[in-house]
Amino acid sequence: MNKNDIVGIDLVGFPFNKKYPPDFKRYGSKYHGYKNDVNETFFYDFAVQGYDLRFRYKGKMYYALTESDHVAVCDEHFTNEYQVFKNGNDLIENWIIEGRTLLDIIDECEDVESM
């Protein structure tokens, strides 16, 4: 996975998501410039920092892991990969859950945690 495709470096030297950048003017710095902790976890912790991810949607838990060359939908032990994506943004945009992309349902996700 080429992190340069999605990760930029701001003027102070901090990494940020190029496609889904923070908006410090609108949201302040509490969630790294995102509107809430859910968006921060998906767009910053997972896509930029490369942390693994878990979240609940409509009562079901979902898991995603980050490897050096890809990210993947996986099991609760982060061992079996079920669907592979080129990077965190690609997973967020293209993982279909109950007929909708993760991007479309992000604000409906609960218990979102980077690991």
Side-chain angles (χ1 to χ4, degrees):
M1 169 174 57
N2 186 352
K3 290 291 253 184
N4 292 334
D5 291 343
I6 62 169
V7 178
I9 302 296
D10 69 15
L11 296 174
V12 186
F14 291 110
F16 70 95
N17 191 319
K18 288 181 184 177
K19 190 164 188 181
Y20 301 100
D23 187 341
F24 291 99
K25 288 182 181 177
R26 185 171 181 189
Y27 300 118
S29 61
K30 183 173 183 180
Y31 300 112
H32 286 97
Y34 292 98
K35 68 179 176 178
N36 56 38
D37 61 336
V38 170
N39 281 250
E40 174 190 31
T41 302
F42 281 107
F43 296 121
Y44 183 72
D45 294 348
F46 176 66
V48 172
Q49 296 291 76
Y51 291 113
D52 294 336
L53 176 72
R54 75 175 193 159
F55 62 93
R56 184 179 315 278
Y57 177 67
K58 292 188 176 181
K60 182 178 177 187
M61 289 300 295
Y62 294 90
Y63 304 88
L65 66 85
T66 301
E67 295 289 357
S68 61
D69 62 343
H70 67 278
V71 299
V73 175
C74 64
D75 65 349
E76 69 273 11
H77 303 292
F78 296 91
T79 53
N80 296 314
E81 297 181 5
Y82 302 125
Q83 192 173 0
V84 175
F85 298 89
K86 63 183 176 180
N87 58 49
N89 284 346
D90 185 38
L91 180 142
I92 291 167
E93 294 168 346
N94 296 298
W95 183 5
I96 304 297
I97 299 173
E98 294 193 20
R100 298 170 65 197
T101 65
L102 177 55
L103 183 61
D104 290 337
I105 63 169
I106 276 182
D107 290 327
E108 299 170 47
C109 294
E110 300 174 324
D111 301 325
V112 178
E113 184 178 6
S114 57
M115 311 185 74

